[in-house]
Amino acid sequence: MRRLVILGSTGSIGVQALEVVAAGDEHEVVALSADHRWEELIAHESSAEQARAAWDGEVLSGPEALAQLISGAEADLVCNAIVGSAGLAATVVALSEGIDLALANKESLVVGGELVIELAAATGARLLPVDSEHSALYQLIASEKGQAPGTIERLTLTASGGPFRGRSRDQLASVTVEEALNHPTWEMGGKISIDSATLMNKGLEVIEAHQLFGTEYSAIDVVVHPQSIIHSMISLSDGSSLAHMGYPDMRVPIAYALHWPERATVDLKPLDLEQLGSLTFEAVDNDAFPCLGLALAAGREGGTAPCVLNAANEVAVAAFLDHRCSFLQIASVIEATLDAVDIEQSYSFETLIESDRAAREAATEQLLAFS
Ligand code: NAD
Ligand code: MG
């Protein structure tokens, strides 16, 4: 039995992690955390049956609570399914304690970057990505371990294209929150659904891949693949390309991360290629979806730029969800914030907290200027 902590247990990933755990008998859930819908968790009325069954402990709250929860749980594995840069502190605590981390919170890697990777290396904690594309890449890269450096030449991340694939910039001017939340292939929390509609999600994922696998930005490609069957691909020096395939269901990468190095049994129908008929691919429309380019530029700039990008995006997405800005203004807020805030090339966790704060302030000012 592995002692497991699930952070963000009332969210889309958190609930599915509880489902994966309930389907097997390899994990004991020793602590859960939640922000929204926490009352349900305490009232033992969480939407996840398993939360009710698993929970029989004390309740902590306040800013120090997460650190206390992780340190006190004597966990073998922490699943971080918190949304946004609010998840970075939990990542840092888990890795500092040398606890293996199943990481859904991609913002931890976007914001914390090299510091997070160095921390994991220093304590020997293992970082297991939950993001489907990165879980795919992790598996593909593991299959080539032991090959000479340079054997893996390129990484390709697929993007569904989101609900607005095929629309021009003009056609995006008046899209609504409801339309943006309606993702064609994945069911996810609100913030990542909007990120998928703007393609910022893919931008954050390229930065995540760069950090996780140490791959240069020039060797990471993004291709739109509306069916979301191929999750990622690696291209090798001998002309081979290896792809990871499966129906879009987050229980698969969650199960991989929670059960590593074993394979779990997940109750899914086998991939039926005849029924799928065809898989299609197209280029990203960078004019209609400028957020991917903004993220790539921030990633290449490095230092605190990804932190500033992420904070501005969080502020802009929250404003869009709250009907305080339009869909196209999300990218404008991010671009203006990156122009306004000083980027530091060398940084500490303290610098990141300060950059995050400055970026949120600048992004909020931008929003006021628009209204
Ligand atoms: P969600 O909004 O459904 O759930 C977020 C969880 O975090 C909730 O339990 C919420 O209560 C908690 N939370 C929110 N703010 C918090 C704070 N300030 N402090 C502590 N807890 C807080 O989000 P989600 O869709 O499950 O996504 C979670 C993470 O996983 C994100 O980083 C997202 O990018 C990543 N991810 C999600 C999916 C998906 O299919 N949903 C896929 C890949 C990656
Ligand atoms: Mg993903």
Side-chain angles (χ1 to χ4, degrees):
M1 287 286 261
R2 298 174 79 191
R3 293 172 61 83
L4 172 67
V5 172
I6 302 178
L7 307 174
S9 64
T10 53
S12 161
I13 294 290
V15 168
Q16 292 180 84
L18 283 162
E19 279 171 28
V20 164
V21 166
D25 54 8
E26 289 91 354
H27 299 90
E28 180 188 359
V29 179
V30 292
L32 300 170
S33 89
D35 185 57
H36 73 258
R37 296 172 56 202
W38 60 270
E39 296 91 342
E40 292 174 36
L41 190 63
I42 293 174
H44 292 213
E45 283 174 13
S46 160
S47 61
E49 292 279 324
Q50 300 75 28
R52 262 174 273 168
W55 187 246
D56 182 27
E58 66 180 312
V59 173
L60 305 170
S61 73
E64 301 300 320
L66 273 183
Q68 206 183 324
L69 183 105
I70 297 165
S71 318
E74 290 177 27
D76 303 309
L77 182 62
V78 168
C79 175
N80 185 351
I82 294 172
V83 61
S85 63
L88 176 61
T91 288
V92 170
V93 174
L95 295 178
S96 304
E97 304 253 337
I99 306 170
D100 289 351
L101 184 64
L103 186 63
N105 180 256
K106 65 190 81 184
E107 295 91 346
S108 286
L109 279 170
V110 171
V111 175
E114 292 84 2
L115 294 183
V116 170
I117 299 297
E118 284 162 14
L119 189 57
T123 64
R126 186 168 286 271
L127 248 178
L128 294 150
V130 168
D131 217 345
S132 57
E133 298 79 359
H134 305 75
S135 176
L137 287 170
Y138 190 94
Q139 295 172 54
L140 293 167
I141 291 169
S143 74
E144 291 302 313
K145 281 269 155 63
Q147 299 291 345
T151 302
I152 300 175
E153 292 188 335
R154 307 196 67 76
L155 311 183
T156 302
L157 282 81
T158 55
S160 71
F164 302 137
R165 182 178 62 85
R167 296 207 198 180
S168 68
R169 192 175 162 76
D170 286 348
Q171 290 170 325
L172 291 175
S174 58
V175 295
T176 65
V177 171
E178 291 64 36
E179 289 173 296
L181 285 174
N182 188 17
H183 196 275
T185 50
W186 298 99
E187 247 190 72
M188 310 176 287
K191 191 259 179 184
I192 185 177
S193 295
I194 303 305
D195 287 349
S196 300
T198 61
L199 290 201
M200 177 54 89
N201 183 51
K202 212 47 57 179
L204 299 178
E205 289 187 355
V206 171
I207 299 174
E208 182 185 11
H210 165 80
Q211 297 296 359
L212 272 173
F213 307 114
T215 310
E216 292 301 323
Y217 284 103
S218 57
I220 305 177
D221 299 321
V222 172
V223 66
V224 175
H225 166 43
Q227 298 82 18
S228 301
I229 297 293
I230 293 183
H231 302 305
S232 277
M233 181 174 86
I234 60 173
S235 301
L236 307 175
S237 53
D238 69 353
S240 305
S241 289
L242 309 182
H244 179 286
M245 299 170 74
Y247 291 114
D249 188 320
M250 285 308 292
R251 289 176 302 161
V252 178
I254 293 169
Y256 182 81
L258 296 188
H259 286 265
W260 185 93
E262 311 292 336
R263 285 276 177 184
T265 302
V266 179
D267 185 22
L268 268 176
K269 62 174 178 162
L271 191 63
D272 185 340
L273 295 177
E274 285 182 14
Q275 196 218 343
L276 283 168
S278 61
L279 301 179
T280 60
F281 305 92
E282 56 197 68
V284 171
D285 179 348
N286 287 304
D287 180 51
F289 302 100
C291 283
L292 174 60
L294 289 173
L296 293 181
R300 287 203 167 96
E301 185 174 359
T304 55
C307 168
V308 169
L309 169 98
N310 177 74
N313 182 55
E314 288 188 27
V315 169
V317 168
F320 175 67
L321 284 169
D322 202 22
H323 306 278
R324 283 182 283 117
C325 77
S326 72
F327 186 76
L328 290 178
Q329 281 172 340
I330 296 174
S332 310
V333 168
I334 298 165
E335 194 171 8
T337 305
L338 280 162
D339 284 344
V341 177
D342 289 336
I343 304 301
E344 316 257 353
Q345 273 306 322
S346 72
Y347 60 95
S348 63
F349 284 117
E350 287 70 32
T351 324
L352 292 174
I353 292 168
E354 175 48 28
S355 292
D356 179 272
R357 191 202 57 72
R360 281 170 199 273
E361 198 177 290
T364 305
E365 267 174 40
Q366 268 311 310
L367 281 166
L368 290 176
F370 285 144
S371 61

